[in-house]
Amino acid sequence: MGILGQVLYLAVHPNQLRSIIQWKMWHELAYTRDPSKESATLKDCFKWLKMTSRSFATVVQELNPDLVVPVVLYYLVLRGLDTIEDDMTISLEEKEPLLRNFETILEKDGWTYDKNGPNEKDRELLVHFDDVITEFKLIDPKYRDTIKDITHKMGNGMADYASNAEHNINSVNTIKEYELYCHYVAGLVGDGLTRFFVEGGFVNPALSNRPELAESMGQFLQKTNIIRDVREDFDDKRRFWPKEIWSKHVDKFDDLFDPKHREAALACSSEMVLNSLRHTEECLFYMAGIKEQGVFNFVAIPQAMAIATLELVFQNPQIFETNVKITKGDAAQLMIESSQNLRTYCGKVEQFIESIYPSQDPKVLAQLAKGGGSGVVVTDNAKAIDDQAKSDVFYLLFAVLGTLFFISAIIAGARFDVALEELTKGNIFPNKEKILDTQQATTEPNKPTDPLSHGPWWDIKDGCFVSATMTARTGKERIAIVGAGPAGLTAGVLLHKHGVSFTIFELRHKPTSKELAQPIGVLDLHEETGLAAIKRCDLFNDFISLTGDCAEIMKIADQDGNVVFATSFNGESRPEISRHDLSQLLMSRIPAETIKWGHKLLSATSSTKSSHSEIQLDFGAHNKQTFDLVIGADGAWSRVRKLLTDVKPQYAERQIITLTIRQFTTRYPHLAELVGPGTFCALGNRHAVTAQQGSHDSARMYIFITTPDEDFATTSGLRNETALGAKNKLLSNSALLGLWGARTKELVTVACDEESIDHPGVNVDTRAVYELPIGHIWEHNPGTTLIGDAAHLMSPNGEGVNLGMWDAVMLSQATIKAYETAPQDAASFQNVLNPLMKEFEVEMVSGAKNAAEQGAKAKSTIVDNFRMAEAKDQVKYDRSPERVSRNVTEHSKSEVSQVSSETTAKVCNESGPHQNPFPSLDLSSR
């Protein structure tokens, strides 16, 4: 509509003209730009903001000044991401890596992008994206971190969608897929903004614990836009309406735009509107938690626009012909009304519902009958208002023109009451300073308003919103993960990635930065299990940057320390990582509030209701909590396992003593040379001494003692010994290490001495090794399952963590599928999940059984090779270090080193029937 058309339109719609004037003249913004104090790049950022979204450029000025620039940059970053995702002229091969790595672009000075199609309306933003990057680096780090986190999640979600759409003619099949897309492009936006608001103290902190409220805010806006823009998207060959909805009404999506199917199309659009409306209740709860008027305005205005848009598109055939929008006058009136308080916004919701489902009142029904049953109620009052508005047209035009011409510059503050007072005193030109003084005396811009007092229909209890007349949607599932080890954390990352809510409970206290900096053992992740799980979590690049402390090289020696053979693995297929680094990496992708530290599970009980099973977890001082799905990732002595089976771990006739040597290569270079850059293992008398290069220039040592005595730590006296006392007992007893050679004894001596210095007076860490029967499986119990050591505890063989992480992948796939397909209630969720969970448990146990059996086979192979290497006539070792070095080289070429990396990783001691006691993982937590 051109300028003339707008003038003519407003001339016959004076009520809309009045709203525009009221908004422009009377409304006071919280933030007023002063371009003279802005950098050139910040000015350009506001320029690109206005270019991409005039409405957002207006509403962002409602915010507290401290939030404006971070929110503007947040919007521009995500708009840039969305511009790449929306552009159908960019090939998937180019688009996908851009989307997945967009957060890294924010650190690249000068980055721009000019490959958008010529018709992409926001391409100029990316052409000048270096302005955004420059300003992004200047904002508070807490805002930068949030923006990067949301950008990473949104980019990967968009990439997943784009990849799926490339091979899926329907683009979106199910409602769950539809809502997952909306989560990535809008729900995550709400998450980031909520973090901003909570950080600044502008909202109730309880909003952090109710992510579904922010999610609904984004879902409602995005779904409204998708309904409104259906024709535009169709012309651009994009489809967002889910097939699950439109297929109920038409055979082909294209039929929605065929006039012959108009009635079916309208029925379909009504179902889409209904799907969007289910979020309004949670939107109300979210806004009830806002404590500052500017933030309330910023949030409420778009929501009110969305409500009005739904009213406009409801049963409106025009949406299938063109892109319909509310008028500027209506928008101005909405902004005036919705920026008052929550009760006013609720009125808009009620007004819309009334327009669709009129009250069953005799007078209303009579009006309907009078209107010919059209469904439109024209009341006498409404008609009077319309007549009055028409009669005001010339008066308003004259008043507007006169006001703009004579006094708009003087009373730009819109304080007409003050201006009138001055004029009645004969002051034709009021004193501007006096107006400002009066404004400051009658308003308190820094005093937060409290939308939490806008009505009697809600309350807050225990930090959560509770409705007296409405029941908020709590979600269909309550999921608990017991245990924050690698398996439990991996499950958490994958569930969070797909928008599934959960809580992790961990026995340990939250580790401090000092504790995380301590040396600890390393884990090697395998290509087909642990490393594959890392890739599923989108963490591979971050993971690789944390590896390298320990090389994939293993030396096998006799009890005197003479190397029998050595094997080098492919470091890319089984990279090593510190256990601390792995935990921190996984936790970086899980909201901190999701993990409940210091929660010791005392017991777990299951009960069956009429419709589904519930599992109650007793955390003692932290009370009892009830869940619909409990994932036991709580290790060897799992309490969740007791819900499924009476089988307990069995003693594996092995004990482990764990020691640490700090500054290993610096202080003990000769021992570092013996150990090498990877893992060293000396075997003899059914025992083993292993040393492994670790983080922070440390060496982690494990002494394995084979004994049928489960209480060996007590009977040997080691339980009450410090490291120094343990050294004497180990090296003086011929049944232990007393007959071993000087070099292996020196390694043990140094480790015990260093441990006693680091932990004076502390008893040495001696533990028994346990395992579950190979292939043990339980009868499925709805609502409960196990992963990792809780499901298939093995003697250490390098597979435990890897299998546990892959368990988490398989379990998450089943849970996400149930979450996305089941109706929104716990019973339906369990009904869909149960068969999937049974399949998962069978597959998991089978995989663990295979791994254990392969380990036993590998043990036999390695023992034979070890003995063969010592027995061959041509392999006569002299004991000099020079000869040992030569032996390693020679035998790396012999059939001894032909053993595959999978076999060598499961080396076991030379004379016992037990599995390998020297894996490349930290055993201290077993």
Side-chain angles (χ1 to χ4, degrees), residues 779-846:
E779 183 178 349
H780 176 70
N781 184 13
T784 309
T785 194
L786 305 171
I787 57 176
D789 285 347
H792 43 69
L793 178 66
M794 303 178 187
S795 289
N797 63 358
E799 296 289 349
V801 168
N802 285 280
L803 289 174
M805 293 177 70
W806 189 246
D807 293 346
V809 172
M810 295 191 294
L811 173 61
S812 298
Q813 289 175 334
T815 306
I816 292 163
K817 184 174 182 180
Y819 176 85
E820 293 178 348
T821 58
Q824 293 194 13
D825 62 88
S828 299
F829 174 68
Q830 280 192 1
N831 289 337
V832 174
L833 181 61
N834 280 337
L836 299 174
M837 198 69 72
K838 290 179 181 179
E839 292 179 12
F840 153 72
E841 290 171 345
V842 171
E843 184 176 352
M844 173 183 62
V845 172
S846 175

Side-chain angles (χ1 to χ4, degrees), residues 866-899:
F866 183 87
R867 289 172 173 168
M868 180 177 61
E870 289 195 315
K872 280 188 177 249
D873 293 336
Q874 68 269 30
V875 184
K876 298 296 184 182
Y877 291 94
D878 80 41
R879 302 308 191 184
S880 66
E882 294 80 9
R883 182 57 185 167
V884 168
S885 177
R886 191 149 54 94
N887 287 337
V888 173
T889 303
E890 291 172 357
H891 288 285
S892 65
K893 299 176 183 178
S894 73
E895 73 272 17
V896 176
S897 62
Q898 300 291 322
V899 183

Side-chain angles (χ1 to χ4, degrees), residues 713-723 725-726 729 761-764 766:
T714 300
T715 56
S716 66
L718 288 176
R719 185 179 302 281
N720 298 319
E721 288 286 0
T722 63
K729 280 186 166 55
V762 177
N763 294 341
V764 71
T766 305

Side-chain angles (χ1 to χ4, degrees), residues 335-365:
M335 289 190 289
I336 292 170
E337 294 178 356
S338 60
S339 61
Q340 302 303 311
N341 53 49
L342 187 59
R343 187 181 294 280
T344 305
Y345 173 79
C346 291
K348 299 306 298 181
V349 177
E350 183 180 9
Q351 177 182 327
F352 171 60
I353 300 300
E354 182 70 23
S355 71
I356 300 177
Y357 303 108
S359 301
Q360 298 302 298
D361 181 270
K363 295 181 180 179
V364 175
L365 295 175

Side-chain angles (χ1 to χ4, degrees), residues 42-318:
L42 184 56
K43 290 178 186 177
D44 284 342
C45 285
F46 278 103
K47 173 184 173 181
W48 308 132
L49 176 68
K50 191 173 182 180
M51 179 193 73
T52 55
S53 177
R54 288 181 176 271
S55 59
F56 191 84
T58 298
V59 76
V60 76
Q61 295 181 75
E62 299 292 334
L63 287 173
N64 182 285
D66 293 338
L67 283 175
V68 172
V69 173
V71 171
V72 166
L73 295 174
Y74 182 42
Y75 176 87
L76 291 176
V77 168
L78 299 186
R79 172 63 76 172
L81 187 67
D82 185 61
T83 301
I84 292 173
E85 189 262 342
D86 274 348
D87 194 338
M88 305 304 290
T89 68
I90 303 175
S91 67
L92 180 63
E93 291 73 18
E94 181 174 1
K95 179 183 291 186
E96 185 170 2
L98 281 172
L99 295 175
R100 294 198 187 280
N101 300 300
F102 202 77
E103 82 278 7
T104 64
I105 289 171
L106 301 179
E107 302 294 341
K108 297 180 180 180
D109 291 330
W111 185 89
T112 59
Y113 186 79
D114 60 1
K115 297 180 182 179
N116 282 105
N119 297 323
E120 178 55 51
K121 60 186 179 68
D122 294 331
R123 76 183 309 275
E124 286 300 308
L125 169 62
L126 289 173
V127 171
H128 299 90
F129 202 74
D130 52 338
D131 294 336
V132 179
I133 293 173
T134 298
E135 291 300 321
F136 170 78
K137 291 187 173 184
L138 299 177
I139 61 175
D140 192 309
K142 64 188 178 187
Y143 297 130
R144 289 204 305 268
D145 292 344
T146 296
I147 293 173
K148 289 186 70 175
D149 180 47
I150 298 300
T151 301
H152 172 81
K153 294 174 180 176
M154 183 179 290
N156 277 280
M158 287 178 168
D160 290 344
Y161 173 80
S163 178
N164 177 66
E166 183 85 356
H167 306 96
N168 183 355
I169 191 172
N170 298 315
S171 295
V172 178
N173 281 308
T174 67
I175 293 174
K176 288 301 178 183
E177 289 177 5
Y178 172 51
E179 294 190 338
L180 182 61
Y181 172 77
C182 292
H183 164 73
Y184 283 127
V185 300
L188 287 173
V189 179
D191 179 15
L193 287 172
T194 302
R195 295 190 210 175
F196 283 12
F197 300 155
V198 171
E199 189 75 34
F202 301 114
V203 298
N204 191 313
L207 288 179
S208 295
N209 301 321
R210 296 290 301 278
E212 69 274 13
L213 302 184
E215 177 72 22
S216 279
M217 294 287 284
Q219 289 269 345
F220 181 60
L221 296 179
Q222 185 65 22
K223 287 182 176 181
T224 299
N225 290 339
I226 286 174
I227 297 169
R228 181 197 64 193
D229 297 340
V230 62
R231 180 71 209 195
E232 180 182 340
D233 289 332
F234 177 71
D235 292 339
D236 289 339
K237 297 181 173 54
R238 295 193 298 254
R239 300 181 178 184
F240 296 108
W241 287 26
K243 183 180 180 182
E244 186 177 340
I245 289 179
W246 62 256
S247 61
K248 299 177 185 178
H249 308 279
V250 293
D251 294 329
K252 298 183 298 181
F253 186 74
D254 294 21
D255 291 343
L256 293 174
F257 306 92
D258 188 338
K260 292 186 300 183
H261 301 284
R262 191 47 41 87
E263 184 176 348
L266 289 174
C268 180
S269 69
S270 296
E271 187 170 350
M272 290 292 292
V273 170
L274 183 62
N275 175 273
S276 178
L277 277 175
R278 69 186 182 82
H279 296 288
T280 55
E281 185 177 347
E282 289 186 330
C283 291
L284 292 173
F285 282 125
Y286 184 96
M287 287 187 283
I290 300 173
K291 301 189 292 185
E292 200 265 346
Q293 186 68 48
V295 172
F296 181 81
N297 294 353
F298 174 81
V299 168
I301 288 173
Q303 295 290 325
M305 297 285 193
I307 282 288
T309 300
L310 285 184
E311 183 177 14
L312 177 64
V313 303
F314 181 70
Q315 288 289 295
N316 184 349
Q318 285 298 308

